[in-house]
Short mmCIF file of all heavy atoms in Angstrom, two decimals:
data_model
loop_
_atom_site.label_atom_id
_atom_site.label_comp_id
_atom_site.label_asym_id
_atom_site.label_seq_id
_atom_site.Cartn_x
_atom_site.Cartn_y
_atom_site.Cartn_z
N ALA A 134 13.43 17.22 -4.39
CA ALA A 134 13.92 18.39 -5.14
C ALA A 134 13.94 18.13 -6.62
O ALA A 134 14.18 17.02 -7.10
CB ALA A 134 15.32 18.73 -4.65
N MET A 207 18.61 11.87 23.11
CA MET A 207 19.10 11.70 21.75
C MET A 207 18.75 12.92 20.91
O MET A 207 19.55 13.38 20.10
CB MET A 207 18.48 10.44 21.11
CG MET A 207 19.01 9.16 21.71
SD MET A 207 20.75 8.95 21.23
CE MET A 207 21.26 7.72 22.40
N ASP A 233 17.41 -1.29 31.44
CA ASP A 233 18.82 -1.02 31.75
C ASP A 233 19.21 0.44 31.64
O ASP A 233 20.10 0.90 32.37
CB ASP A 233 19.75 -1.83 30.83
CG ASP A 233 19.63 -3.34 31.03
OD1 ASP A 233 18.99 -3.73 32.03
OD2 ASP A 233 20.16 -4.09 30.20
#
Side-chain angles (χ1 to χ4, degrees):
M207 289 292 163
D233 295 348

